[in-house]
Amino acid sequence: MISQKTIDKIFSTIRVEEIIGEYVQLKRAGSNFKGLSPFHEEKTPSFVVSPSKQIWKDFSSGKGGTAITFLMEIEGFTYPEALRHAAKKYGIEIEEDQVEYSEEQKKAQSEREILYKIHEVANTFFQENLWETEEGKTIALSYFKERELHDDIIKKFQLGYSPEKKNAFTEYALAKGYEKEILEKSGISIFPENSPSGIDRFRERVIFPIHSFSGRVLGFGARILKSNVKTAKYLNSPETEIYHKSNVLYGLNQSKQAISRENLCLLVEGYMDVISLHQSGIENVVASSGTALTTEQIKLIKRLTENVTILFDGDAAGIKASFRSIDMLLSEGMNIRVVLFPDGDDPDSFARKNPRDFVEDFIKNQAKDFIDFKAEILLKEANNDPIKKAEAIRDIVKSIGFVSNALKQEVYLKQVSTQFGLSEQSLFNELGVQKQVVQQQKPAEKREANVVKLEKVQEFTETINPLLVLEEKLVELMLKFGQFKLFRKTPDNENYETTVIEEIINHLEEDQYQPISPLNQRIIEEIKAGIRQNELRSSDFFKTFMDEEVVTKTADALINAHETSNWEKHNIYFSKEEELVDKIVKDVIIRHKREFVVKIINDLKHQISEENSAETYLKIINLTKLKNKIDENLFRIL
């Protein structure tokens, strides 16, 4: 178990804006950062990161918390896994408290975690075979050297080698205690009937590990080096619980910072394209790994940038296949440019034979927008045939139809109008036709989703409980301003000093109030436990709490909705809550006391209807007097 000392060090070192900035394109907004939610589709940014408070809040999905809870949400990490990931990023050594686990606890490890672990074990095994065995050095390392890869780049991408022996890794993993079932589920090993001892899926191949956004090994790509073997040149891991190829882009883990920094993603096809460009110093590049581009992959890129340049090697089949990718990127709101390399070159070979500046200038100068690109390819095919030319223009307009932004559509149509000497009206008419065609091609359920249905609005009958609202506010004040000093006077007019936490807890205990919300109850009990230990537990304490609901509530308390807008530019200014804490605490406590008295009165009235007790009548009279007195105090405050 990770020691509390290590947890405290992690939280004091990590920066929420740095961790989230690897997943979301953040832009400065006053003292905060803003970006599009990675959890919910939105066009207007409502995702807020506060560096000063080390908290984030996603107003579109309601999620919020610390850098650690963000990692848990985005990566599906457990709390300890998120801590370990953050510690690794910041070079923090993990100290563990010695805990003996029972056999049941050991078996309770999730299968998902064991899958991650076996992939890490395999990754280390393949790398050791590349660098430390004669077979690996002779066959695999020499191949990488032929491809002109340097040692540092081979290590950066954790390239490896699976030896010729048919079950080298399987035998190694079984000896380490991993079960046959998990090896089979990982896809790294196969157990056919005629080979009960197992076979390595990637035997006698060089290995390209495939990483998640955060750097965990999800699967492998493997290339065979022998040319006289009748088998696929490249072999990939099968789909598993942790590896879904449609959700992964090769090289994204190594490239995400450069993509965000350059505000541009270069999209290529193969592993070696990514690796060679990195070696040349161009790091903002990812690969779809030979699979058709998917919406999920585009959304990964969109977290970092809306600008994509697709790099192609000039192969006719590949170029035609790119048209679908262009339409998909356009439909997700991306800005697209395309680069074609000279005949006989691909990004890998071009990067190896030319210096970095030349490659960068080539990509920058040769990049065409998607209209020019499609026009060049399609009109070349059409030659002088007017019918084929019309079809080519129709194809270009169809792509424009995938653009969701109306202003962008108009700009693109004007460009086509000027380029081909056609009237804008005829192009707008054609755009309408193409939109209908695209709509009809969608599955029925997606078509229905786009139809606006008028439904009778259900009458909203749920009543708001004012006592619960005020309870929520009291907890929020303790989380946000718990240690804030308040200066009060005793009934004898003597001055004394207290804190927000102590004043609110005294109020709750004086009234013997039991919280309505179980979540608030948990927080209040923790605060009371802190007071017993002479410790005031407010937001800093609860940020590191191992309870996602509590951490989210802390984020809600620390980041207000109005912080998502820069009101000052409209000459709208809010008073700082810090300046009003004294008044707010007084006000909320007295209002809470009033509503609590009203609740007790109502409960007693219900009791009278059943018992008709004189004692109960007397209680109601006294409580009503108390309520009237509270109302007088409230009137004086206002």
Side-chain angles (χ1 to χ4, degrees):
M1 189 168 66
I2 301 173
S3 69
Q4 188 59 47
K5 180 182 175 184
T6 301
I7 293 172
D8 292 342
K9 188 174 182 180
I10 290 169
F11 272 97
S12 65
T13 305
I14 63 177
R15 303 297 302 166
V16 66
E17 67 274 22
E18 290 175 354
I19 286 178
I20 293 178
E22 293 186 352
Y23 296 83
V24 179
Q25 188 179 16
L26 297 174
K27 294 181 180 177
R28 177 68 72 174
S31 62
N32 296 328
F33 290 96
K34 287 174 67 175
L36 293 171
S37 167
F39 307 113
H40 192 271
E41 286 291 326
E42 64 177 9
K43 293 182 179 179
T44 303
S46 69
F47 185 92
V48 180
V49 177
S50 170
S52 60
K53 298 168 185 172
Q54 285 299 293
I55 283 285
W56 61 277
K57 176 66 182 176
D58 179 12
F59 287 93
S60 66
S61 68
K63 300 177 189 292
T66 63
I68 297 302
T69 55
F70 178 83
L71 289 170
M72 291 168 69
E73 286 285 351
I74 201 85
E75 291 286 355
F77 288 155
T78 62
Y79 186 73
E81 288 168 353
L83 288 171
R84 290 180 191 280
H85 176 80
K88 184 178 179 181
K89 174 178 172 61
Y90 286 88
I92 300 168
E93 187 176 345
I94 296 282
E95 291 181 9
E96 306 233 12
D97 293 331
Q98 293 300 315
V99 178
E100 286 294 323
Y101 292 103
S102 66
E103 285 302 314
E104 285 185 8
Q105 287 174 316
K106 289 176 182 176
K107 287 181 181 177
Q109 279 186 295
S110 70
E111 183 179 288
R112 185 180 177 85
E113 286 314 303
I114 298 172
L115 278 172
Y116 279 122
K117 183 62 180 174
I118 195 64
H119 278 83
E120 289 294 344
V121 170
N123 195 35
T124 302
F125 175 85
F126 295 142
Q127 288 180 79
E128 287 175 352
N129 268 277
L130 174 71
W131 294 101
E132 298 174 14
T133 69
E134 281 305 314
E135 181 185 347
K137 292 175 185 176
T138 304
I139 298 172
L141 196 55
S142 62
Y143 165 76
F144 288 134
K145 296 296 183 182
E146 284 173 16
R147 301 296 296 263
E148 300 177 24
L149 296 185
H150 305 156
D151 288 358
D152 61 335
I153 210 74
I154 295 171
K155 289 175 180 176
K156 179 179 181 178
F157 284 87
Q158 300 176 4
L159 306 184
Y161 174 67
S162 181
E164 185 177 1
K165 183 180 176 182
K166 74 172 188 177
N167 67 340
F169 173 72
T170 305
E171 187 177 74
Y172 172 82
L174 289 170
K176 279 190 165 290
Y178 288 96
E179 295 178 357
K180 170 183 169 182
E181 183 184 8
I182 201 70
L183 287 170
E184 202 162 23
K185 285 184 177 179
S186 73
I188 303 171
S189 301
I190 306 166
F191 292 88
E193 289 183 9
N194 59 348
S195 294
S197 59
I199 297 173
D200 294 351
R201 179 183 294 273
F202 305 117
R203 65 191 181 280
E204 216 172 350
R205 292 173 182 261
V206 289
I207 303 293
F208 299 85
I210 299 167
H211 296 87
S212 71
F213 200 102
S214 63
R216 302 180 98 180
V217 180
L218 305 175
F220 300 98
R223 186 191 194 282
I224 198 160
L225 301 181
K226 291 182 177 180
S227 57
N228 59 345
V229 179
K230 291 183 179 180
T231 185
K233 181 190 288 188
Y234 278 98
L235 192 61
N236 291 326
S237 288
E239 296 271 316
T240 66
E241 189 180 344
I242 64 171
Y243 176 57
H244 305 283
K245 61 184 179 182
S246 62
N247 297 347
V248 178
L249 285 163
Y250 182 76
L252 187 57
N253 172 249
Q254 293 90 346
S255 305
K256 58 192 177 188
Q257 290 182 344
I259 292 170
S260 182
R261 184 175 62 250
E262 300 291 335
N263 195 21
L264 172 67
C265 178
L266 304 178
L267 183 60
V268 297
E269 287 189 273
Y271 304 133
M272 287 302 301
D273 294 330
V274 172
I275 295 168
S276 291
L277 283 168
H278 265 260
Q279 182 164 278
S280 74
I282 300 169
E283 297 184 335
N284 55 324
V285 54
V286 297
S288 57
S289 304
T291 60
L293 194 65
T294 66
T295 302
E296 291 79 10
Q297 290 171 332
I298 296 170
K299 286 178 178 177
L300 286 174
I301 298 171
K302 196 173 182 180
R303 288 182 189 171
L304 305 170
T305 182
E306 293 184 346
N307 303 309
V308 175
T309 298
I310 309 173
L311 308 184
F312 284 107
D313 59 11
D315 171 72
I319 291 170
K320 280 296 183 71
S322 75
F323 289 173
R324 177 182 173 275
S325 297
I326 288 172
D327 292 344
M328 289 188 69
L329 286 160
L330 289 170
S331 68
E332 291 298 321
M334 307 296 270
N335 304 312
I336 303 137
R337 298 178 75 78
V338 184
V339 171
L340 283 180
F341 285 96
D343 286 345
D345 268 325
D346 57 20
D348 169 29
S349 62
F350 196 81
R352 283 189 284 121
K353 68 169 66 167
N354 295 295
R356 172 182 175 173
D357 290 347
F358 184 86
V359 177
E360 284 183 326
D361 288 343
F362 181 86
I363 292 172
K364 182 179 179 180
N365 297 328
Q366 295 298 315
K368 298 181 173 69
D369 68 41
F370 76 94
I371 292 174
D372 288 337
F373 171 70
K374 290 193 82 168
E376 181 180 318
I377 301 302
L378 295 174
L379 293 179
K380 188 176 180 180
E381 285 184 358
N383 203 355
N384 292 320
D385 187 325
I387 295 175
K388 287 184 178 179
K389 184 178 179 180
E391 284 297 326
I393 295 168
R394 187 172 289 118
D395 200 321
I396 294 168
V397 173
K398 181 181 175 182
S399 287
I400 295 172
F402 285 100
V403 177
S404 57
N405 184 290
L407 183 60
K408 279 186 179 180
Q409 281 188 345
E410 186 169 347
V411 170
Y412 287 139
L413 288 177
K414 283 181 181 293
Q415 183 179 335
V416 175
S417 171
T418 302
Q419 192 164 339
F420 297 104
L422 299 170
S423 72
E424 289 182 33
Q425 187 58 53
S426 64
L427 291 172
F428 271 105
N429 293 341
E430 180 60 32
L431 179 63
V433 172
Q434 291 303 321
K435 281 184 176 180
Q436 287 183 346
V437 171
V438 170
Q439 184 67 19
Q440 290 302 315
Q441 289 173 347
K442 290 182 179 179
E445 62 271 18
K446 288 191 177 181
R447 291 203 304 272
E448 290 172 10
N450 290 334
V451 177
V452 178
K453 295 181 179 179
L454 297 177
E455 296 179 357
K456 183 180 178 181
V457 178
Q458 296 294 316
E459 187 177 350
F460 185 70
T461 56
E462 184 181 348
T463 56
I464 296 173
N465 183 344
L467 186 60
L468 177 59
V469 172
L470 291 162
E471 175 189 302
E472 293 282 354
K473 188 62 181 178
L474 288 173
V475 171
E476 178 190 312
L477 288 167
M478 288 192 287
L479 289 171
K480 197 169 186 177
F481 304 111
Q483 300 178 41
F484 193 92
K485 291 181 180 178
L486 302 172
F487 300 96
R488 300 288 188 245
K489 289 182 181 291
T490 66
D492 298 330
N493 212 32
E494 292 181 3
N495 295 322
Y496 72 95
E497 184 181 298
T498 186
T499 62
V500 170
I501 279 179
E502 289 168 310
E503 182 147 301
I504 291 174
I505 292 298
N506 285 339
H507 154 67
L508 297 175
E509 290 185 336
E510 180 183 64
D511 289 350
Q512 298 180 356
Y513 178 78
Q514 290 299 312
I516 300 168
S517 159
L519 177 57
N520 290 339
Q521 174 74 41
R522 296 206 300 275
I523 293 171
I524 290 167
E525 287 305 318
E526 283 293 336
I527 291 172
K528 286 181 179 179
I531 291 173
R532 290 193 292 271
Q533 298 171 32
N534 294 317
E535 177 187 351
L536 294 177
R537 294 177 174 175
S538 56
S539 59
D540 284 344
F541 173 83
F542 289 105
K543 281 180 195 175
T544 65
F545 215 61
M546 214 165 79
D547 183 321
E548 202 168 336
E549 280 188 301
V550 171
V551 176
T552 299
K553 193 172 187 72
T554 305
D556 290 343
L558 294 179
I559 298 183
N560 299 316
H562 72 76
E563 291 185 54
T564 62
S565 299
N566 184 10
W567 295 101
E568 287 81 357
K569 72 179 181 182
H570 304 293
N571 291 320
I572 299 173
Y573 298 91
F574 290 93
S575 296
K576 292 181 179 179
E577 271 193 302
E578 290 83 349
E579 300 168 359
L580 305 171
V581 172
D582 192 304
K583 181 180 184 305
I584 292 170
V585 170
K586 280 181 183 176
D587 184 59
V588 176
I589 284 178
I590 197 166
R591 288 176 187 277
H592 182 265
K593 187 180 287 289
R594 181 191 185 281
E595 290 303 328
F596 187 44
V597 170
V598 169
K599 177 186 181 299
I600 295 171
I601 291 172
N602 290 334
D603 289 346
L604 288 170
K605 284 179 179 178
H606 179 71
Q607 188 178 325
I608 278 181
S609 66
E610 296 177 353
E611 299 176 3
N612 200 22
S613 163
E615 185 182 346
T616 306
Y617 272 114
L618 185 59
K619 285 181 181 178
I620 291 174
I621 291 168
N622 290 332
L623 285 167
T624 303
K625 288 179 181 177
L626 176 60
K627 182 184 83 66
N628 293 338
K629 190 174 180 181
I630 292 170
D631 287 341
E632 288 175 14
N633 287 334
L634 269 174
F635 181 76
R636 280 199 297 271
I637 291 173
L638 295 172

